[in-house]
Amino acid sequence: MREGSRKPAVAPTGVERTLGEDELIVSKTDPKGILTYVNDVFLRISAYPEDAVLGQPHNMIRHPDMPRCVFKLLWDTIKSGQEIFAYVVNLAGDGAHYWVFAHVTPSFGPAGQIVGYHSNRRSPDRQAMEVIRPLYGQLVAEERRHSRPADALTASTAMLHEHADAVGGYERFVWSLEAARVGAR
C-alpha cells in the first residue's frame, strides 16, 4: 500500500485546531518512532487519551495532506544524528487538523547510539503558513500524480529541494519563514 495514498483511520473534517502562543507539544519515541511519552498538550490537541497513543507509531497522527518528502527529509536527518525544524500538519483523533512548527532531535545513549527521538512543537508563524500551505499542496499534488511511490517521492523531493535551494537550502528556507517572529521576541 502506498504510504502517501493510505486512507487514514480517521477522516479529516477540515476543522483546524490551533495552539496557544505559549503552548508546547512534547513527545518522545523509540528509534522506530513508537510513542513512549506525550505531554498533556499533545493529548488535548490530538484528541486522543494517553492509553490510545503510548506504544503506537507516531505516524498515527499523520495527516493525508502532509507531503511524504518532508517526512523523508525529517527521518533522514534525525537518523543521521542531526536535528531538524519542519512545518507539519497533523490529524487529530476527531478529524480536526493542527499545524505545528516542529523541532525534532535524536536522543543518544551512553555509547553515543540513537536511543529515541524528542520532538517539541509550537504554533507556526501565521505568515509562514501563507508560504507553507500552498507549497505543501503542490508537493502532495505531485506525489499523487505518480502511480509508483518511489517516483512520487523522487518528484516531490526534487520540488522541495528546488524551492529551498532558491534561498540557500532547506534550513535557511525554514528559518527565513520564522525570521519575522524570532525577530519580534
Side-chain angles (χ1 to χ4, degrees):
M1 179 180 297
R2 195 170 122 192
E3 184 181 347
S5 64
R6 182 178 51 182
K7 184 176 179 179
V10 176
T13 62
V15 173
E16 183 172 4
R17 186 168 292 134
T18 58
L19 283 166
E21 281 296 316
D22 295 332
E23 289 188 301
L24 195 64
I25 297 173
V26 179
S27 63
K28 296 180 183 179
T29 71
D30 70 10
K32 293 183 178 179
I34 303 298
L35 287 161
T36 59
Y37 171 81
V38 296
N39 72 350
D40 290 344
V41 180
F42 181 108
L43 296 173
R44 182 183 54 77
I45 198 115
S46 71
Y48 280 108
E50 186 176 56
D51 61 356
V53 295
L54 293 181
Q56 298 300 313
H58 197 287
N59 67 10
M60 71 180 288
I61 57 170
R62 183 175 295 185
H63 195 286
D65 290 342
M66 185 65 200
R68 292 179 57 227
C69 64
V70 176
F71 276 119
K72 181 175 182 347
L73 175 65
L74 187 152
W75 276 103
D76 287 350
T77 302
I78 61 177
K79 283 181 177 179
S80 75
Q82 304 298 309
E83 68 178 356
I84 189 168
F85 291 85
Y87 295 93
V88 177
V89 61
N90 290 138
L91 180 64
D94 61 1
H97 66 276
Y98 54 98
W99 283 92
V100 295
F101 186 56
H103 176 214
V104 187
T105 62
S107 300
F108 298 96
Q113 79 282 20
I114 294 175
V115 296
Y117 301 103
H118 183 122
S119 178
N120 293 325
R121 284 148 282 165
R122 61 182 166 90
S123 179
D125 182 272
R126 287 290 149 197
Q127 290 181 339
M129 297 312 303
E130 293 175 13
V131 174
I132 292 298
R133 285 179 205 261
L135 174 61
Y136 280 20
Q138 293 168 3
L139 295 171
V140 169
E142 182 64 25
E143 290 173 355
R144 291 177 180 160
R145 204 171 67 76
H146 298 270
S147 59
R148 291 189 48 219
D151 294 342
L153 191 55
T154 298
S156 64
T157 297
M159 287 178 67
L160 177 62
H161 284 296
E162 181 180 325
H163 193 86
D165 289 350
V167 293
Y170 176 80
E171 189 171 338
R172 191 173 288 227
F173 166 66
V174 167
W175 283 109
S176 72
L177 298 176
E178 288 291 312
R181 181 159 68 176
V182 172
R185 289 184 177 175

